[in-house]
Amino acid sequence: MKLIASLILAAFATVANAQERDWSAPQKPFTIYGNTHYVGTAGISAILVTSPQGHILVDGTTAKGADVVAANIRALGFKLEDVKYILSSHSHEDHAGGISALQKQTGATVLAGAANVETMQTGVSPKTDPQFGTLSDFPGSTKVRGVSDGEVVKLGPLAVTAHSTPGHTPGGTTWSWQSCEAGKCKNVVFVDSVTAIGPDSFRFTDHPELVAQFRGSFKKIEGLACDVAIAAHPEVNDLWGRQQRAEKAGSAAYVDKGACRAIVEPGRKRLETRLASEKR
Ligand SMILES: [Zn+2]
């Protein structure tokens, strides 16, 4: 009887893990690998990379989620004022909506792909965004600076590299760094969204330069040294399943050399399906 009950519970847990969670709901923070910690909400990733000389935060989740991220940073024993940089994956409300409030609380410099800087400042997406017209505005940030492809953000012993991965937004950026645990260092990648989404009225076929951007981004992400991948939407790389497995397996549950490729594959299929549907 007990076994059946736990099997049913496990089945429910699996369903819950596969489903999208609330983008602004609280989530207990946890360590992924070494100095890489999850401080995001239940449904949107935010990552804190820590050092004795200060910390780097990747993404801020939603405007409502900013409080969750701030509380999570404190719950792990870190100070908000020690966050020196906030890096943005892409300038949409679900990932960047909380950055304005977090910037104010930390005093950090916000770094984003050069083509997304204006959107980060205003909270209003440009016409060149495939989702233009369907996006929510979000609070704009101050102290925003653009980064270029390959630029390395340094803070004490930390070095985080920006990889331009445009398509989903014009200045979309994937970020990578190394984290070490008991002398073993891993390449950690925060993978930006690579989904081709837009209203039916938007035809990707009419924007060959955008299609080329997506294809270039797929290739770039696949080619990265990638031992631990964190997707902007955590369920995309089964973060919740991994977290469960980590209870027994430790941080090994997050290590997966094929993860960057696995994240890109559905994005590529989605783009090709969309292009094919536009031909009909
Ligand atoms: Zn987005």
Side-chain angles (χ1 to χ4, degrees), residues 56-81:
I56 295 178
L57 175 67
V58 188
D59 274 356
T61 78
T62 63
K64 255 174 84 183
D67 288 345
V68 174
V69 176
N72 282 350
I73 292 171
R74 287 199 197 96
L76 289 175
F78 300 109
K79 290 188 186 128
L80 287 177
E81 57 266 34

Side-chain angles (χ1 to χ4, degrees), residues 7-264:
L7 279 176
I8 290 168
L9 272 178
F12 272 118
T14 308
V15 170
N17 285 335
Q19 279 172 352
E20 224 167 57
R21 297 170 167 204
D22 187 324
W23 286 357
S24 304
Q27 164 66 45
K28 227 177 140 197
F30 55 96
T31 297
I32 290 180
Y33 196 89
N35 61 342
T36 295
H37 312 279
Y38 187 91
V39 293
T41 61
I44 299 289
S45 298
I47 296 294
L48 189 70
V49 192
T50 58
S51 89
Q53 277 85 51
H55 318 311
I56 295 178
L57 175 67
V58 188
D59 274 356
T61 78
T62 63
K64 255 174 84 183
D67 288 345
V68 174
V69 176
N72 282 350
I73 292 171
R74 287 199 197 96
L76 289 175
F78 300 109
K79 290 188 186 128
L80 287 177
E81 57 266 34
D82 290 338
V83 176
K84 302 300 178 193
Y85 291 107
I86 302 175
L87 316 181
S88 168
S89 62
H90 73 269
S91 49
H92 284 162
E93 200 279 332
D94 45 346
H95 310 279
I99 289 180
S100 175
L102 289 160
Q103 192 283 327
K104 285 188 191 105
Q105 291 180 62
T106 58
T109 299
V110 177
L111 301 177
N116 282 359
V117 167
E118 202 182 320
T119 308
M120 292 300 293
Q121 290 167 332
T122 60
V124 182
S125 292
K127 281 194 176 134
T128 47
D129 189 310
Q131 292 181 67
F132 179 76
T134 64
L135 293 161
S136 308
D137 293 349
F138 58 91
S141 295
T142 50
K143 269 183 90 172
V144 186
R145 181 166 76 71
V147 291
S148 50
D149 187 33
E151 191 171 328
V152 182
V153 180
K154 289 188 176 157
L155 177 67
L158 305 180
V160 180
T161 305
H163 308 275
S164 293
T165 47
H168 185 80
T169 59
T173 304
T174 289
W175 301 91
S176 72
W177 61 92
Q178 282 211 331
S179 280
C180 306
E181 211 174 86
K184 281 189 188 156
C185 297
K186 302 287 180 195
N187 298 299
V188 184
V189 183
F190 188 103
V191 184
D192 185 26
S193 297
V194 288
T195 42
I197 315 173
D200 289 346
S201 55
F202 185 91
R203 284 169 46 86
F204 285 83
T205 317
D206 296 339
H207 301 270
E209 72 296 341
L210 185 63
V211 173
Q213 281 183 352
F214 267 111
R215 289 180 176 150
S217 295
F218 298 151
K219 256 206 164 134
K220 190 178 281 178
I221 293 167
E222 281 174 340
L224 292 175
C226 180
D227 303 314
V228 175
I230 301 141
H233 287 270
E235 73 279 359
V236 168
N237 188 33
D238 189 26
L239 185 72
W240 308 119
R242 292 180 193 278
Q243 188 197 17
Q244 261 181 8
R245 294 195 288 281
E247 282 172 24
K248 279 190 184 155
S251 58
Y254 299 107
V255 179
D256 175 357
K257 282 192 182 295
C260 279
R261 267 191 311 265
I263 290 171
V264 160

